[in-house]
Amino acid sequence: QVQLVESGGGLVQAGGSLTLSCVASESISDAEYVGWYRQYPGNLRTLIARISRTGDIMYGDSVKDRFTISRDNAKNTLYLQMNKLKPEDTGAYYCNSPVSSRWTALGARYAWGRGTQVTVSA
C-alpha cells in the first residue's frame, strides 16, 4: 500500500507563504489525478488543488491565484506552493489521488497520511 507523508506546514502570518510537500513511498505517476486536500476541524476533507497525469491543473475557488500545485515524478513528490495566505487557509493539509474526475467526490485511491498543519494568524 502506498504511504503518503506530508510536510512543510507551520505557523505563518497572513500574507505569508509556505510550501508543502507530499512524498509517496513508491511511484504514483500512473495515478490519473493527485491533489491536495484541506480539512477544517470538524469538517470533511475537501479537494483544493489537483494535477492530472497529463498535467492538467484545477484549483478550488478559495485558493485559485494564490496556490500552485506541482509534481516531481522522479522524486515521487507533490508540492503545494501557498502564497498570500489567509486566516481561512488554516487547517490540516493532506495529499492523495482522487478516484473520480468529479471535483467534489470524496473517494481517494491511497490511505491517508497524517497531514501537515497550517496555521495562519491575522
Side-chain angles (χ1 to χ4, degrees):
Q1 188 174 14
V2 171
Q3 294 178 307
L4 303 171
V5 180
E6 301 92 348
S7 64
L11 176 64
V12 65
Q13 294 184 42
S17 299
L18 287 172
T19 300
L20 307 184
S21 298
C22 166
V23 179
S25 60
E26 60 190 80
S27 176
I28 56 171
S29 61
D30 63 333
E32 187 61 31
Y33 304 101
V34 289
W36 286 95
Y37 298 75
R38 180 168 61 200
Q39 184 176 32
Y40 299 127
N43 287 277
L44 298 174
R45 276 178 274 248
T46 59
L47 185 67
I48 61 169
R50 77 180 189 196
I51 182 168
S52 78
R53 181 174 52 81
T54 56
D56 298 314
I57 293 172
M58 290 187 65
Y59 298 100
D61 289 341
S62 65
V63 307
K64 191 177 188 300
D65 300 323
R66 298 188 298 119
F67 292 8
T68 302
I69 188 171
S70 62
R71 66 191 302 176
D72 186 338
N73 288 337
K75 297 180 179 180
N76 297 331
T77 302
L78 182 71
Y79 302 98
L80 186 68
Q81 177 64 49
M82 310 165 68
N83 297 321
K84 299 181 179 180
L85 284 161
K86 303 175 180 180
E88 51 263 44
D89 294 320
T90 295
Y93 286 74
Y94 301 82
C95 59
N96 216 307
S97 176
V99 174
S100 174
S101 62
R102 285 176 168 265
W103 184 257
T104 56
L106 299 179
R109 181 174 179 179
Y110 307 116
W112 296 100
R114 294 181 178 181
T116 186
Q117 178 67 35
V118 172
T119 302
V120 184
S121 61

